[in-house]
Amino acid sequence: MNDNEERPVTIITGRVWRQKGGKSEGVHVMLVAPDDDSAVRQALEALAKEGYAEAELDQIGDMQGEPDDEPHFSAFQGALEGEVSIITFDEDR
């Protein structure tokens, strides 16, 4: 990929905890980064800034087109604008 090409939106999935040993939440983080290592670093920094004490990241990949449903559509748009978008949800465990 050359510098003139638009980079894809990266999605990282996993779990986060507000307090160590507390209840976990599922998380999807969307952002645009030059590589996977940078994406993970930026995601962890954004989660820490939002007050999460722990994070366990499971998967990383590039989005294949924009999502249809909220809140992922808005998060995707935010990522395209340079934001690190964080979506949390209750896990079904």
Coordinates of all heavy atoms in Angstrom, one line a residue:
M1 N 0.9 -1.2 0.0 CA 0.0 0.0 0.0 C 0.9 1.2 0.0 O 1.8 1.4 0.8 CB -0.9 0.0 1.3 CG -1.8 1.2 1.4 SD -2.8 1.1 2.9 CE -3.8 -0.3 2.6
N2 N 0.7 2.1 -0.9 CA 1.5 3.4 -0.9 C 0.8 4.4 -0.1 O -0.3 4.3 0.4 CB 1.8 3.9 -2.3 CG 0.5 4.4 -3.1 OD1 -0.3 5.1 -2.5 ND2 0.4 4.0 -4.3
D3 N 1.5 5.5 0.2 CA 1.0 6.6 1.1 C -0.2 7.3 0.6 O -0.9 7.9 1.4 CB 2.1 7.6 1.4 CG 3.2 7.0 2.3 OD1 3.0 5.9 2.9 OD2 4.3 7.5 2.3
N4 N -0.5 7.2 -0.7 CA -1.7 7.9 -1.2 C -2.9 7.1 -1.1 O -4.0 7.7 -1.3 CB -1.4 8.2 -2.7 CG -0.3 9.2 -2.9 OD1 0.0 10.0 -2.0 ND2 0.4 9.1 -4.0
E5 N -2.8 5.8 -0.8 CA -4.0 5.0 -0.7 C -4.6 5.2 0.7 O -3.9 5.4 1.7 CB -3.7 3.5 -0.9 CG -3.3 3.2 -2.3 CD -3.0 1.7 -2.4 OE1 -3.8 0.9 -1.9 OE2 -2.0 1.4 -3.1
E6 N -6.0 5.1 0.8 CA -6.6 5.2 2.1 C -6.4 3.9 2.8 O -6.6 2.9 2.3 CB -8.1 5.4 1.8 CG -8.7 6.7 2.5 CD -10.1 6.8 2.2 OE1 -10.9 6.1 2.9 OE2 -10.5 7.7 1.4
R7 N -6.1 4.1 4.1 CA -5.9 2.9 4.9 C -7.3 2.4 5.4 O -8.2 3.2 5.6 CB -5.1 3.2 6.1 CG -3.7 3.6 5.7 CD -2.8 3.6 6.9 NE -1.5 4.2 6.6 CZ -0.5 3.6 6.0 NH1 -0.7 2.4 5.6 NH2 0.6 4.2 5.8
P8 N -7.5 1.0 5.5 CA -8.8 0.5 5.9 C -9.0 0.8 7.4 O -8.0 1.0 8.2 CB -8.6 -1.0 5.6 CG -7.1 -1.3 5.7 CD -6.5 0.0 5.2
V9 N -10.2 0.7 7.8 CA -10.6 0.8 9.2 C -10.3 -0.6 9.8 O -10.7 -1.6 9.3 CB -12.1 1.1 9.4 CG1 -12.4 1.0 10.9 CG2 -12.3 2.5 8.9
T10 N -9.5 -0.6 10.9 CA -9.2 -1.8 11.7 C -10.2 -2.0 12.8 O -10.6 -1.0 13.4 CB -7.7 -1.7 12.2 OG1 -6.8 -1.5 11.2 CG2 -7.4 -2.9 13.1
I11 N -10.6 -3.2 13.0 CA -11.4 -3.5 14.2 C -10.7 -4.5 15.1 O -10.0 -5.4 14.6 CB -12.8 -4.1 13.8 CG1 -13.7 -4.3 15.0 CG2 -12.7 -5.3 12.9 CD1 -15.1 -4.6 14.7
I12 N -10.7 -4.2 16.4 CA -10.1 -5.1 17.4 C -11.2 -5.5 18.3 O -12.0 -4.6 18.8 CB -9.0 -4.3 18.1 CG1 -7.9 -3.8 17.2 CG2 -8.4 -5.3 19.2 CD1 -6.9 -2.9 17.8
T13 N -11.3 -6.8 18.6 CA -12.3 -7.3 19.5 C -11.7 -7.8 20.8 O -10.5 -8.3 20.7 CB -13.2 -8.4 18.9 OG1 -12.4 -9.5 18.5 CG2 -13.8 -7.8 17.6
G14 N -12.4 -7.8 21.9 CA -11.9 -8.4 23.1 C -12.8 -8.1 24.3 O -14.0 -8.0 24.1
R15 N -12.2 -8.0 25.5 CA -12.9 -7.7 26.7 C -12.2 -6.7 27.5 O -10.9 -6.6 27.4 CB -13.0 -9.0 27.6 CG -14.1 -9.9 27.1 CD -14.0 -11.3 27.8 NE -12.8 -12.0 27.5 CZ -12.5 -12.5 26.3 NH1 -13.2 -12.3 25.3 NH2 -11.4 -13.2 26.1
V16 N -12.9 -5.9 28.3 CA -12.3 -4.9 29.1 C -12.9 -4.9 30.5 O -14.0 -5.4 30.7 CB -12.5 -3.4 28.5 CG1 -11.7 -3.3 27.2 CG2 -14.0 -3.1 28.2
W17 N -12.2 -4.4 31.4 CA -12.6 -4.3 32.8 C -12.3 -2.9 33.4 O -11.3 -2.4 33.2 CB -11.8 -5.3 33.7 CG -12.1 -6.7 33.4 CD1 -12.9 -7.6 34.1 CD2 -11.5 -7.6 32.4 NE1 -12.9 -8.8 33.6 CE2 -12.0 -8.9 32.6 CE3 -10.6 -7.3 31.4 CZ2 -11.7 -9.9 31.7 CZ3 -10.2 -8.4 30.6 CH2 -10.8 -9.7 30.7
R18 N -13.3 -2.3 34.0 CA -13.2 -1.0 34.6 C -12.3 -1.2 35.9 O -11.5 -0.3 36.2 CB -14.5 -0.4 35.0 CG -15.3 0.0 33.8 CD -15.3 1.5 33.7 NE -16.0 1.9 32.5 CZ -15.7 2.9 31.7 NH1 -14.6 3.6 32.0 NH2 -16.3 3.2 30.7
Q19 N -12.5 -2.3 36.6 CA -11.7 -2.6 37.8 C -11.1 -3.9 37.7 O -11.8 -4.9 37.2 CB -12.6 -2.5 39.1 CG -13.3 -1.2 39.3 CD -14.2 -1.3 40.5 OE1 -14.3 -2.3 41.1 NE2 -14.9 -0.2 40.8
K20 N -9.9 -4.1 38.1 CA -9.2 -5.4 38.1 C -10.1 -6.4 38.9 O -10.5 -6.1 40.0 CB -7.8 -5.3 38.7 CG -6.9 -4.6 37.8 CD -5.5 -4.7 38.3 CE -4.6 -3.9 37.3 NZ -3.2 -4.2 37.4
G21 N -10.4 -7.5 38.3 CA -11.2 -8.5 39.0 C -12.7 -8.3 38.9 O -13.4 -9.0 39.5
G22 N -13.1 -7.2 38.3 CA -14.5 -6.8 38.3 C -15.2 -7.5 37.1 O -14.6 -8.4 36.5
K23 N -16.4 -7.1 36.8 CA -17.2 -7.6 35.7 C -16.6 -7.1 34.4 O -16.3 -6.0 34.2 CB -18.6 -7.1 35.8 CG -19.5 -7.7 34.8 CD -21.0 -7.2 35.0 CE -21.9 -7.9 34.1 NZ -22.1 -7.3 32.8
S24 N -16.5 -8.1 33.4 CA -15.9 -7.7 32.1 C -17.1 -7.3 31.2 O -18.2 -7.6 31.4 CB -15.2 -8.9 31.5 OG -16.0 -9.9 31.2
E25 N -16.7 -6.5 30.2 CA -17.6 -6.1 29.1 C -16.9 -6.5 27.8 O -15.7 -6.5 27.7 CB -17.8 -4.6 29.1 CG -18.4 -4.0 30.3 CD -18.4 -2.5 30.2 OE1 -19.3 -1.9 29.6 OE2 -17.5 -1.9 30.8
G26 N -17.7 -6.8 26.8 CA -17.2 -7.0 25.4 C -16.8 -5.7 24.9 O -17.4 -4.6 25.2
V27 N -15.8 -5.6 24.0 CA -15.4 -4.4 23.4 C -15.0 -4.6 21.9 O -14.5 -5.6 21.5 CB -14.2 -3.8 24.1 CG1 -12.9 -4.6 24.0 CG2 -13.9 -2.3 23.7
H28 N -15.4 -3.6 21.1 CA -15.0 -3.5 19.7 C -14.3 -2.1 19.6 O -14.9 -1.1 20.0 CB -16.1 -3.6 18.7 CG -16.8 -4.9 18.7 ND1 -18.0 -5.1 18.1 CD2 -16.4 -6.1 19.1 CE1 -18.3 -6.4 18.1 NE2 -17.3 -7.0 18.8
V29 N -13.1 -2.1 19.1 CA -12.4 -0.8 18.9 C -12.1 -0.6 17.4 O -11.6 -1.6 16.8 CB -11.0 -0.8 19.7 CG1 -10.3 0.5 19.5 CG2 -11.2 -1.1 21.2
M30 N -12.5 0.5 16.9 CA -12.3 0.8 15.5 C -11.4 2.0 15.3 O -11.6 3.0 16.0 CB -13.6 1.0 14.8 CG -14.5 -0.2 14.6 SD -16.0 0.2 13.7 CE -17.0 -1.1 14.0
L31 N -10.4 1.9 14.4 CA -9.5 3.0 14.2 C -8.8 2.8 12.9 O -8.9 1.7 12.3 CB -8.5 3.1 15.3 CG -7.5 1.9 15.5 CD1 -6.2 2.3 16.1 CD2 -8.1 0.8 16.3
V32 N -8.1 3.8 12.4 CA -7.2 3.7 11.2 C -5.8 3.8 11.7 O -5.4 4.8 12.4 CB -7.5 4.7 10.2 CG1 -6.6 4.7 9.0 CG2 -9.0 4.6 9.7
A33 N -4.9 2.8 11.4 CA -3.5 2.8 11.9 C -2.6 2.3 10.7 O -3.1 1.5 9.9 CB -3.4 2.0 13.1
P34 N -1.4 2.6 10.8 CA -0.5 2.2 9.7 C -0.2 0.7 9.7 O 0.2 0.1 8.7 CB 0.8 3.0 9.9 CG 0.8 3.4 11.3 CD -0.7 3.5 11.7
D35 N -0.3 0.0 10.9 CA 0.0 -1.4 11.0 C -0.7 -2.0 12.3 O -1.2 -1.2 13.1 CB 1.5 -1.7 11.0 CG 2.2 -0.9 12.1 OD1 1.8 -1.0 13.3 OD2 3.1 -0.2 11.8
D36 N -0.7 -3.3 12.4 CA -1.4 -3.9 13.6 C -0.8 -3.5 14.9 O -1.5 -3.3 15.9 CB -1.4 -5.4 13.4 CG -2.3 -5.9 12.3 OD1 -3.1 -5.1 11.7 OD2 -2.3 -7.2 12.1
D37 N 0.5 -3.4 15.0 CA 1.2 -3.1 16.3 C 0.7 -1.7 16.7 O 0.4 -1.4 17.9 CB 2.7 -3.1 16.2 CG 3.2 -4.5 16.1 OD1 2.5 -5.5 16.5 OD2 4.3 -4.7 15.6
S38 N 0.7 -0.7 15.8 CA 0.3 0.6 16.1 C -1.2 0.6 16.5 O -1.6 1.4 17.4 CB 0.5 1.6 14.9 OG 1.8 1.7 14.6
A39 N -2.0 -0.2 15.8 CA -3.4 -0.2 16.1 C -3.7 -0.7 17.5 O -4.5 -0.1 18.3 CB -4.2 -1.1 15.1
V40 N -3.0 -1.8 17.9 CA -3.1 -2.3 19.3 C -2.7 -1.3 20.3 O -3.3 -1.1 21.3 CB -2.3 -3.6 19.4 CG1 -2.3 -4.1 20.9 CG2 -3.0 -4.7 18.6
R41 N -1.5 -0.6 20.0 CA -1.0 0.4 21.0 C -2.0 1.5 21.1 O -2.3 1.9 22.2 CB 0.3 0.9 20.5 CG 1.0 1.8 21.5 CD 2.4 2.3 21.1 NE 2.9 2.0 19.8 CZ 2.7 2.7 18.7 NH1 2.0 3.8 18.8 NH2 3.2 2.4 17.5
Q42 N -2.5 2.0 20.0 CA -3.5 3.1 20.1 C -4.8 2.7 20.8 O -5.4 3.5 21.5 CB -3.8 3.6 18.7 CG -2.7 4.4 18.0 CD -3.0 4.8 16.6 OE1 -4.2 5.0 16.2 NE2 -2.0 4.8 15.7
A43 N -5.2 1.5 20.5 CA -6.5 1.0 21.2 C -6.3 0.9 22.7 O -7.1 1.3 23.5 CB -6.8 -0.4 20.6
L44 N -5.1 0.3 23.1 CA -4.9 0.2 24.6 C -4.7 1.6 25.2 O -5.2 1.8 26.3 CB -3.6 -0.6 24.8 CG -3.7 -2.1 24.5 CD1 -2.4 -2.8 24.6 CD2 -4.8 -2.8 25.4
E45 N -4.1 2.5 24.5 CA -4.0 3.9 25.1 C -5.4 4.5 25.2 O -5.7 5.2 26.2 CB -3.1 4.7 24.2 CG -1.6 4.4 24.3 CD -0.8 5.1 23.2 OE1 -1.3 5.8 22.4 OE2 0.5 4.8 23.2
A46 N -6.2 4.4 24.2 CA -7.6 5.0 24.3 C -8.4 4.3 25.4 O -9.1 5.0 26.1 CB -8.3 4.8 22.9
L47 N -8.3 3.0 25.5 CA -9.0 2.3 26.6 C -8.6 2.8 28.0 O -9.4 3.0 28.9 CB -8.9 0.8 26.5 CG -9.6 0.2 25.3 CD1 -9.1 -1.2 25.0 CD2 -11.1 0.2 25.5
A48 N -7.3 2.9 28.2 CA -6.8 3.4 29.4 C -7.3 4.9 29.7 O -7.7 5.2 30.8 CB -5.2 3.4 29.4
K49 N -7.3 5.7 28.7 CA -7.7 7.1 28.8 C -9.2 7.1 29.2 O -9.6 8.0 29.9 CB -7.5 7.8 27.5 CG -7.7 9.3 27.5 CD -7.4 9.8 26.1 CE -6.7 11.1 26.2 NZ -6.4 11.7 24.9
E50 N -10.0 6.1 28.8 CA -11.4 6.0 29.1 C -11.7 5.4 30.4 O -12.8 5.2 30.8 CB -12.2 5.3 28.0 CG -12.3 6.0 26.7 CD -13.0 7.3 26.8 OE1 -14.1 7.4 27.5 OE2 -12.6 8.3 26.3
G51 N -10.6 5.0 31.2 CA -10.7 4.5 32.5 C -10.8 3.0 32.7 O -11.1 2.5 33.7
Y52 N -10.4 2.3 31.6 CA -10.4 0.8 31.7 C -9.1 0.4 32.4 O -8.0 0.8 31.9 CB -10.6 0.1 30.4 CG -12.0 0.4 29.9 CD1 -12.3 1.4 29.0 CD2 -13.1 -0.4 30.4 CE1 -13.6 1.6 28.5 CE2 -14.4 -0.2 29.9 CZ -14.6 0.8 29.0 OH -15.9 1.1 28.6
A53 N -9.2 -0.5 33.4 CA -8.0 -0.9 34.1 C -7.3 -2.1 33.4 O -6.1 -2.2 33.5 CB -8.4 -1.4 35.5
E54 N -8.1 -2.9 32.7 CA -7.5 -4.1 32.0 C -8.2 -4.3 30.7 O -9.4 -3.9 30.5 CB -7.7 -5.4 32.9 CG -6.9 -5.4 34.1 CD -7.1 -6.8 34.8 OE1 -8.0 -6.9 35.6 OE2 -6.2 -7.7 34.5
A55 N -7.5 -4.9 29.8 CA -8.0 -5.2 28.5 C -7.4 -6.5 28.0 O -6.2 -6.8 28.2 CB -7.7 -4.1 27.5
E56 N -8.2 -7.3 27.4 CA -7.8 -8.6 26.8 C -8.3 -8.5 25.3 O -9.5 -8.6 25.1 CB -8.4 -9.8 27.5 CG -8.0 -11.1 27.0 CD -8.6 -12.2 27.8 OE1 -8.3 -12.3 29.0 OE2 -9.5 -12.9 27.3
L57 N -7.3 -8.3 24.4 CA -7.7 -8.2 23.0 C -7.5 -9.6 22.3 O -6.5 -10.2 22.4 CB -6.8 -7.1 22.3 CG -6.9 -5.8 23.0 CD1 -5.9 -4.8 22.3 CD2 -8.3 -5.2 23.1
D58 N -8.6 -10.0 21.6 CA -8.6 -11.3 21.0 C -8.3 -11.4 19.5 O -7.6 -12.2 19.1 CB -10.0 -12.0 21.2 CG -10.3 -12.2 22.6 OD1 -9.4 -12.4 23.4 OD2 -11.5 -12.1 23.0
Q59 N -8.9 -10.5 18.7 CA -8.8 -10.5 17.3 C -8.6 -9.1 16.7 O -9.1 -8.1 17.3 CB -10.0 -11.1 16.6 CG -10.2 -12.6 17.0 CD -11.4 -13.2 16.3 OE1 -12.2 -12.5 15.7 NE2 -11.5 -14.5 16.3
I60 N -7.9 -9.1 15.6 CA -7.7 -7.8 14.9 C -7.9 -8.1 13.4 O -7.5 -9.2 12.9 CB -6.3 -7.2 15.2 CG1 -6.2 -5.8 14.5 CG2 -5.2 -8.1 14.8 CD1 -4.9 -5.0 15.0
G61 N -8.5 -7.2 12.7 CA -8.6 -7.3 11.3 C -9.1 -6.1 10.6 O -9.4 -5.1 11.3
D62 N -9.1 -6.0 9.3 CA -9.6 -4.9 8.6 C -11.1 -5.0 8.2 O -11.5 -6.1 7.8 CB -8.8 -4.7 7.3 CG -7.4 -4.4 7.5 OD1 -7.1 -3.8 8.6 OD2 -6.5 -4.6 6.6
M63 N -11.8 -4.0 8.3 CA -13.3 -4.0 8.0 C -13.4 -4.1 6.5 O -12.6 -3.5 5.7 CB -13.9 -2.7 8.5 CG -13.9 -2.4 10.0 SD -15.0 -3.5 10.9 CE -16.6 -2.9 10.3
Q64 N -14.4 -4.9 6.1 CA -14.7 -5.1 4.7 C -15.9 -4.3 4.3 O -17.0 -4.8 4.3 CB -14.9 -6.6 4.3 CG -13.7 -7.4 4.7 CD -12.5 -7.1 3.9 OE1 -12.5 -6.9 2.7 NE2 -11.3 -7.0 4.6
G65 N -15.8 -3.0 4.2 CA -17.0 -2.1 3.9 C -17.5 -1.6 5.2 O -17.1 -2.0 6.3
E66 N -18.4 -0.6 5.1 CA -19.0 0.0 6.3 C -20.1 -0.8 6.9 O -20.9 -1.4 6.1 CB -19.4 1.5 6.1 CG -20.5 1.7 5.1 CD -20.7 3.1 4.8 OE1 -19.8 3.9 4.8 OE2 -21.9 3.4 4.6
P67 N -20.3 -0.8 8.2 CA -21.4 -1.6 8.8 C -22.7 -0.9 8.6 O -22.7 0.3 8.3 CB -21.0 -1.6 10.3 CG -19.8 -0.7 10.5 CD -19.4 -0.3 9.1
D68 N -23.8 -1.6 8.6 CA -25.1 -1.1 8.4 C -25.8 -0.6 9.7 O -26.6 0.4 9.6 CB -26.0 -2.2 7.8 CG -25.6 -2.6 6.4 OD1 -25.1 -1.8 5.7 OD2 -25.8 -3.8 6.1
D69 N -25.4 -1.2 10.8 CA -26.2 -0.9 12.0 C -25.4 0.0 13.0 O -24.1 -0.1 13.0 CB -26.6 -2.2 12.7 CG -27.5 -3.1 11.9 OD1 -28.3 -2.5 11.1 OD2 -27.3 -4.3 11.9
E70 N -26.1 0.7 13.8 CA -25.5 1.5 14.9 C -25.3 0.5 16.1 O -26.0 -0.5 16.2 CB -26.5 2.6 15.4 CG -26.6 3.7 14.4 CD -25.3 4.5 14.2 OE1 -24.4 4.4 15.0 OE2 -25.3 5.2 13.2
P71 N -24.3 0.7 16.9 CA -23.4 1.9 17.0 C -22.2 1.7 16.1 O -21.3 2.6 16.0 CB -23.0 1.9 18.5 CG -23.0 0.5 18.9 CD -24.1 -0.1 18.1
H72 N -22.1 0.6 15.4 CA -20.9 0.3 14.6 C -20.7 1.3 13.4 O -19.6 1.7 13.1 CB -20.9 -1.1 14.1 CG -20.6 -2.1 15.3 ND1 -21.6 -2.6 16.1 CD2 -19.5 -2.6 15.7 CE1 -21.1 -3.4 17.0 NE2 -19.8 -3.4 16.8
F73 N -21.9 1.7 12.8 CA -21.8 2.6 11.7 C -21.1 4.0 12.2 O -20.2 4.5 11.5 CB -23.2 2.9 11.1 CG -23.1 3.9 10.0 CD1 -22.7 3.5 8.7 CD2 -23.5 5.2 10.2 CE1 -22.7 4.5 7.7 CE2 -23.4 6.2 9.2 CZ -23.0 5.8 7.9
S74 N -21.6 4.5 13.3 CA -21.0 5.8 13.8 C -19.5 5.6 14.2 O -18.7 6.5 14.0 CB -21.8 6.3 15.0 OG -23.1 6.7 14.6
A75 N -19.2 4.4 14.8 CA -17.8 4.2 15.2 C -16.9 4.1 13.9 O -15.8 4.6 13.9 CB -17.8 2.9 16.0
F76 N -17.4 3.5 12.9 CA -16.7 3.4 11.6 C -16.4 4.8 11.1 O -15.3 5.1 10.7 CB -17.5 2.5 10.6 CG -16.8 2.3 9.3 CD1 -16.0 1.2 9.2 CD2 -17.1 3.1 8.2 CE1 -15.4 0.9 7.9 CE2 -16.5 2.9 7.0 CZ -15.6 1.8 6.9
Q77 N -17.5 5.6 11.1 CA -17.3 7.0 10.6 C -16.3 7.7 11.4 O -15.5 8.5 10.9 CB -18.7 7.7 10.5 CG -19.6 7.1 9.6 CD -19.2 7.1 8.1 OE1 -18.5 8.1 7.7 NE2 -19.4 6.1 7.4
G78 N -16.3 7.6 12.7 CA -15.4 8.2 13.6 C -14.0 7.8 13.3 O -13.0 8.6 13.3
A79 N -13.8 6.5 13.1 CA -12.5 6.0 12.7 C -11.9 6.6 11.5 O -10.7 7.0 11.4 CB -12.5 4.5 12.6
L80 N -12.8 6.8 10.5 CA -12.4 7.4 9.2 C -12.0 8.8 9.4 O -11.1 9.4 8.7 CB -13.5 7.3 8.2 CG -13.8 6.0 7.6 CD1 -15.0 6.1 6.7 CD2 -12.6 5.4 6.8
E81 N -12.5 9.5 10.5 CA -12.2 10.9 10.8 C -11.0 11.0 11.7 O -10.7 12.1 12.2 CB -13.4 11.6 11.4 CG -14.5 11.7 10.4 CD -15.8 12.1 11.0 OE1 -15.8 12.5 12.2 OE2 -16.9 12.1 10.3
G82 N -10.3 9.8 12.0 CA -9.1 9.9 12.9 C -9.3 9.6 14.3 O -8.4 9.6 15.1
E83 N -10.5 9.2 14.7 CA -10.8 8.9 16.1 C -10.5 7.4 16.4 O -10.5 6.6 15.5 CB -12.3 9.2 16.5 CG -12.7 10.6 16.3 CD -14.2 10.7 16.5 OE1 -14.9 9.8 17.0 OE2 -14.7 11.8 16.2
V84 N -10.3 7.1 17.7 CA -10.3 5.7 18.1 C -11.7 5.5 18.7 O -12.0 6.1 19.8 CB -9.2 5.4 19.1 CG1 -9.3 4.0 19.6 CG2 -7.8 5.7 18.5
S85 N -12.5 4.7 18.0 CA -13.9 4.5 18.5 C -14.0 3.3 19.3 O -13.5 2.2 18.9 CB -14.8 4.4 17.2 OG -14.7 5.6 16.5
I86 N -14.7 3.4 20.5 CA -14.8 2.3 21.4 C -16.3 2.0 21.6 O -17.1 2.8 21.9 CB -14.2 2.6 22.7 CG1 -12.7 2.9 22.6 CG2 -14.4 1.5 23.7 CD1 -12.0 3.5 23.8
I87 N -16.6 0.7 21.4 CA -18.0 0.2 21.6 C -17.9 -0.9 22.7 O -17.1 -1.8 22.5 CB -18.6 -0.4 20.3 CG1 -18.7 0.6 19.2 CG2 -20.0 -1.0 20.6 CD1 -19.0 0.0 17.8
T88 N -18.6 -0.7 23.8 CA -18.7 -1.8 24.8 C -20.1 -2.3 24.8 O -21.1 -1.7 24.5 CB -18.3 -1.3 26.2 OG1 -19.1 -0.2 26.5 CG2 -16.8 -0.8 26.2
F89 N -20.2 -3.6 25.3 CA -21.5 -4.3 25.4 C -21.4 -5.4 26.4 O -20.3 -5.9 26.7 CB -21.9 -4.8 24.0 CG -20.8 -5.7 23.4 CD1 -20.7 -7.1 23.6 CD2 -19.8 -5.1 22.5 CE1 -19.7 -7.8 23.0 CE2 -18.8 -5.8 21.9 CZ -18.8 -7.2 22.2
D90 N -22.5 -5.8 27.0 CA -22.6 -6.9 27.9 C -22.3 -8.1 27.2 O -22.8 -8.4 26.1 CB -24.0 -7.0 28.6 CG -24.2 -5.8 29.5 OD1 -23.3 -5.3 30.1 OD2 -25.4 -5.5 29.7
E91 N -21.5 -9.0 27.8 CA -21.1 -10.3 27.2 C -22.2 -11.3 27.6 O -22.7 -11.2 28.7 CB -19.8 -10.8 27.8 CG -18.6 -9.9 27.3 CD -17.3 -10.5 27.8 OE1 -17.1 -10.5 29.0 OE2 -16.6 -10.9 27.0
D92 N -22.5 -12.2 26.7 CA -23.5 -13.2 27.0 C -22.7 -14.5 27.4 O -22.4 -15.4 26.6 CB -24.3 -13.5 25.7 CG -25.2 -12.4 25.3 OD1 -25.6 -11.6 26.2 OD2 -25.4 -12.2 24.1
R93 N -22.4 -14.5 28.7 CA -21.7 -15.6 29.2 C -22.4 -16.2 30.3 O -23.0 -15.6 31.2 CB -20.3 -15.2 29.7 CG -19.3 -15.0 28.6 CD -18.0 -14.8 29.2 NE -17.0 -14.5 28.2 CZ -15.7 -14.7 28.3 NH1 -15.2 -15.3 29.4 NH2 -14.9 -14.4 27.4

